[in-house]
Amino acid sequence: GQSLEQPSEVTAVEGAIVQINCTYQTSGFYGLSWYQQHDGGAPTFLSYNALDGLEETGRFSSFLSRSDSYGYLLLQELQMKDSASYFCAALKEQGGKLIFGQGTELSVKP
Amino acid sequence: KAGVTQTPRYLIKTRGQQVTLSCSPISGHRSVSWYQQTPGQGLQFLFEYFSETQRNKGNFPGRFSGRQFSNSRSEMNVSTLELGDSALYLCASSLGQGGGYEQYFGPGTRLTVT
């Protein structure tokens, strides 16, 4: 089968750092993407890891370990506007489809 | 560049009816993927079209179908609606075949089946 596991909820305070983990089990795994979705909005692409290691994009970083079938999204200097749902998504094979996790709802408190 | 557009934004239908949803991708994008989003199931892949051909398909019954036109616009159809089909239907476009890791989502169509 194919599945991605991520925590359903995470709470953090403004200015803090938070890590959202994602473990995956999928055949033909090619890479891991992360998306952000605000309440009532469309998912928007954040980052992608095809290789092991850390990818940094401003306050957001994403990490992948293929040997552990594990990745995470790291959000630094949290802001209230970061309150949203975050989805990890496995890309199945080059030219394949995206399989999404259930999403992690991040609440940033003042 | 205009983003992905979906029409209609909201729809209320009765069990047993059918519905057609429309998606216009970003100009130049040839791949359109459709997803169903529900609170309990998250984002589930329905199918992907590229150059008017279905390239990938998710695990949904045959009541769910779609097509893509020569201008890359796509429609999805659900026949014999069931209460469980109530969901947000999202389409996403991208440049290459298969959707790829970076997809651009539309605002979705909120379908309610009563």
Side-chain angles (χ1 to χ4, degrees):
Chain A
Q2 48 204 17
S3 66
L4 292 94
E5 297 287 332
Q6 50 181 130
S8 57
E9 297 177 345
V10 172
T11 301
V13 297
E14 224 175 347
I17 299 173
V18 73
Q19 179 174 311
I20 299 174
N21 299 320
C22 173
T23 57
Y24 60 86
Q25 189 175 14
T26 180
S27 58
F29 176 82
Y30 203 77
L32 194 68
S33 287
W34 288 91
Y35 284 77
Q36 177 193 60
Q37 184 179 30
H38 284 100
D39 213 21
T44 56
F45 172 78
L46 289 176
S47 69
Y48 174 68
N49 294 71
L51 305 174
D52 284 1
L54 195 67
E55 291 283 341
E56 297 180 70
T57 312
R59 293 188 298 114
F60 294 2
S61 304
S62 58
F63 173 83
L64 177 66
S65 168
R66 286 173 169 271
S67 59
D68 296 321
S69 298
Y70 163 75
Y72 66 72
L73 179 70
L74 192 73
L75 297 84
Q76 302 181 72
E77 299 171 21
L78 280 173
Q79 302 174 9
M80 298 296 289
K81 67 178 182 179
D82 297 329
S83 292
S85 291
Y86 292 84
F87 294 87
C88 59
L91 181 65
K92 282 179 63 67
E93 302 158 357
Q94 189 174 18
K97 60 190 181 187
L98 272 179
I99 307 297
F100 281 81
Q102 301 273 41
T104 297
E105 188 173 345
L106 171 64
S107 297
V108 180
K109 307 291 185 190
Chain B
K1 222 180 224 186
V4 177
T5 58
Q6 292 187 245
T7 56
R9 292 292 312 278
Y10 302 91
L11 207 47
I12 300 174
K13 290 285 189 179
T14 304
R15 255 186 317 179
Q17 288 186 313
Q18 76 162 18
V19 67
T20 299
L21 313 181
S22 181
C23 172
S24 292
I26 290 173
S27 177
H29 284 191
R30 296 167 64 191
S31 170
V32 174
S33 299
W34 287 89
Y35 297 86
Q36 181 193 66
Q37 186 173 28
T38 58
Q41 299 294 321
L43 267 152
Q44 291 192 287
F45 174 79
L46 280 153
F47 29 65
E48 184 249 339
Y49 285 87
F50 182 83
S51 293
E52 301 176 66
T53 303
Q54 188 180 92
R55 303 291 177 166
N56 281 300
K57 191 176 189 312
N59 297 322
F60 278 81
R63 300 185 296 106
F64 292 81
S65 62
R67 59 178 175 167
Q68 186 180 36
F69 302 95
S70 58
N71 62 358
S72 294
R73 190 177 70 85
S74 177
E75 288 181 348
M76 75 163 261
N77 184 77
V78 188
S79 62
T80 321
L81 283 166
E82 300 177 359
L83 295 179
D85 297 333
S86 294
L88 180 66
Y89 291 88
L90 294 158
C91 82
S93 77
S94 60
L95 280 169
Q97 179 181 332
Y101 63 85
E102 183 174 1
Q103 298 186 18
Y104 295 82
F105 283 82
T109 294
R110 173 77 61 185
L111 172 65
T112 302
V113 182
T114 62

